Amino acid sequence: MKRREFLKAAGAATTLAAAGCASTTPSKARVVVIGGGFGGATAAKYIRMWDPAVDVVLVEREPAFISCPISNLVLAGFTGMDDITRRIDGLERHGVRVVRDEAVAIDAAKKTVRLRHGEIAYERLVVSPGIDFTFGDVQGYEQAMQAGRVLHAWKAGPQTVALRRQLEQMRDGGVYVLSIPLAPYRCPPGPYERVSMVAAYFKQAKPRSKVLVLDANPDVTSKGGLFKRAWSDLYPGIVEYRGNSRAVGVDGTAMSVRLEVEDVKADVLNVVPPHRAGDIAAKSGLITTNNRWCDVDWRTMESKAARGVHVLGDATLSAPAMPKSASMANNHAKIAASAIVELLNGREPQPLKILNTCYSFVSRNEAIRVSSVHEWEPGQGTLIPVKGSGGVSAARSEAEANFAWSWARTIWSDSLA
């Protein structure tokens, strides 16, 4: 080994040792993964499973993983935070080195990631940062949120608990307002599942209360007929839906949301702002489209803005008819893991066909489903839905609810265990 190469390798090993993940065995290459959710954790695990010679380092700032899928049931009191929380260190059994830190910068030219407490060199980088919000699109939002009056609860965790507390403390006869942003946003059916869960809670605990849905989109964006039928059958007089109702401002003191034509008051105000790719993607120049999303090569998930960097999950500029969902992030991870293993071994990656499945609860014991299959289309240079694949549930059912819980436990295990 040349002296310059030796010093570079020694410096990288020292940095890793400082981060608590010094390598003691030779490896083919190092892959660093930023983000321990459905995308990042899955990628880290599968790279190690498919090529144990690769040194995989997962950087995650949170002490545990909290699942957005199933979190709406917490708002209704049908499950608890412990049920949707999983440990990340289970990945260590696969040889993944888990570093509790925050990635603050990426230097794609030097192939390094700067952390709050050190720096890590990589051969390939996987970025799965989830979403952050364009708070400035809703005037007054940040002030109202800082005061604890207005929540989004669109990242499962403390705000989920806080929103549940607000619902519990709300008077019977009060109004809960949910403001939904223009698509695309994380989990297209998620807001409408939340409507159903809050309505179910009101039906049993606060029967004189109302759920008012202010949707910036013209109509329900996913499983619309099934959701509307459930609201009509199960929650008559509780749910009111209004399309084309975009929030442009909030007033936390008056507890009101300003629309383009009127102000609407609420007892509990749950405003979900427009989304964009997570902060690290924005800071590192990975966002390519509308100042919001990261375009990728769907054969490898490699960023179109930075070579050697693979972007997964909700942060991506979605392929046609592709939702931002946990299933998609999990599948993006497998595309990236397969491609990275092939590339590190000097082989050409092959496109993969992937499946999306999304379950939504409409009552404590009933759920509905949407699914789709996506494959590489060379002529269009992207993934497209397979004709005749997928579809939605024929009707809500207890069977779908059982499948929903099974799906959740399976994907948690597939990603994190």
Side-chain angles (χ1 to χ4, degrees):
M1 182 183 292
K2 294 180 181 179
R3 181 174 182 275
R4 183 182 304 168
E5 293 171 338
F6 173 80
L7 290 174
K8 182 178 179 181
T14 301
T15 300
L16 277 171
C21 55
S23 178
T24 58
T25 59
S27 64
K28 189 175 299 181
R30 177 178 299 125
V31 176
V32 173
V33 180
I34 298 173
F38 288 110
T42 305
K45 174 181 173 179
Y46 273 81
I47 291 169
R48 284 289 302 175
M49 288 174 59
W50 288 339
D51 191 344
V54 180
D55 182 20
V56 179
V57 181
L58 174 67
V59 179
E60 172 54 53
R61 64 189 174 194
E62 300 297 336
F65 168 79
I66 304 176
S67 176
C68 285
I70 306 295
S71 65
N72 280 328
L73 275 68
V74 175
L75 301 179
F78 297 156
T79 195
M81 293 297 292
D82 289 346
D83 296 322
I84 62 171
T85 302
R86 294 292 184 273
R87 296 174 63 89
I88 296 173
D89 55 14
L91 294 171
E92 293 175 348
R93 75 185 67 180
H94 300 283
V96 176
R97 305 168 187 272
V98 180
V99 177
R100 280 283 313 283
D101 207 333
E102 181 178 9
V104 295
I106 296 166
D107 190 326
K110 294 182 179 179
K111 293 189 173 183
T112 59
V113 178
R114 181 158 54 87
L115 310 178
R116 293 278 178 203
H117 306 97
E119 187 175 89
I120 303 180
Y122 64 83
E123 181 66 24
R124 289 270 166 180
L125 176 65
V126 176
V127 182
S128 189
I131 50 111
D132 280 301
F133 303 99
T134 57
F135 291 116
D137 289 350
V138 184
Q139 187 177 11
Y141 192 100
E142 288 187 278
Q143 300 94 311
M145 186 175 68
Q146 289 168 2
R149 304 295 303 280
V150 178
L151 303 171
H152 55 75
W154 217 243
K155 294 183 179 183
Q159 285 207 13
T160 308
V161 176
L163 182 55
R164 168 62 181 172
R165 188 177 302 117
Q166 288 185 353
L167 292 169
E168 289 178 311
Q169 295 172 349
M170 192 188 85
R171 64 186 176 88
D172 187 10
V175 177
Y176 161 77
V177 169
L178 173 61
S179 171
I180 304 170
L182 282 170
Y185 55 82
R186 166 181 279 176
C187 189
Y192 314 110
E193 180 189 59
R194 179 168 294 183
V195 168
S196 305
M197 291 299 93
V198 174
Y201 169 62
F202 285 171
K203 183 176 179 178
Q204 70 178 21
K206 302 175 190 287
R208 296 189 295 116
S209 298
K210 305 293 182 185
V211 175
L212 175 57
V213 189
L214 302 177
D215 195 343
N217 301 284
D219 204 348
V220 175
T221 61
S222 178
K223 298 178 272 193
L226 291 168
F227 276 117
K228 289 181 176 179
R229 194 172 307 126
W231 298 340
S232 175
D233 292 348
L234 302 174
Y235 314 115
I238 295 178
V239 176
E240 179 184 345
Y241 177 85
R242 300 183 191 175
N244 292 315
S245 299
R246 182 171 70 91
V248 296
V250 297
D251 185 331
T253 302
M255 287 300 288
S256 64
V257 57
R258 187 167 74 255
L259 307 179
E260 293 169 315
V261 296
E262 63 175 321
D263 290 354
V264 177
K265 291 185 67 65
D267 293 272
V268 173
L269 191 50
N270 182 193
V271 178
V272 182
H275 297 13
R276 62 169 172 78
D279 283 342
I280 186 65
K283 293 175 183 176
S284 303
L286 299 177
I287 291 179
T288 61
T289 307
N290 299 330
N291 292 318
R292 297 177 70 187
W293 309 116
C294 306
D295 202 2
V296 298
D297 182 336
W298 289 102
R299 294 168 294 183
T300 62
M301 304 305 299
E302 189 169 10
S303 166
K304 291 188 177 180
R307 290 181 60 84
V309 179
H310 304 256
V311 184
L312 314 179
D314 296 338
T316 58
L317 174 65
S318 297
M322 179 180 288
K324 296 183 182 297
S325 70
S327 277
M328 281 288 92
N330 176 267
N331 279 271
H332 293 173
K334 292 168 186 175
I335 294 176
S338 174
I340 288 168
V341 167
E342 294 302 288
L343 290 165
L344 292 177
N345 284 281
R347 299 187 294 260
E348 186 71 18
Q350 298 300 313
L352 300 182
K353 186 178 292 185
I354 60 175
L355 168 70
N356 175 70
T357 302
C358 184
Y359 290 91
S360 303
F361 282 83
V362 293
S363 70
R364 182 169 194 155
N365 299 314
E366 294 178 311
I368 55 179
R369 170 196 48 81
V370 63
S371 59
S372 56
V373 179
H374 304 255
E375 67 179 354
W376 175 253
E377 169 38 56
Q380 298 184 40
T382 188
L383 292 174
I384 64 169
V386 175
K387 291 183 179 179
S389 69
V392 299
S393 306
R396 66 181 187 273
S397 69
E398 292 188 9
E400 293 281 37
N402 292 332
F403 293 148
W405 271 108
S406 295
W407 169 87
R409 295 185 181 105
T410 298
I411 197 170
W412 295 336
S413 177
D414 187 51
S415 300
L416 296 156

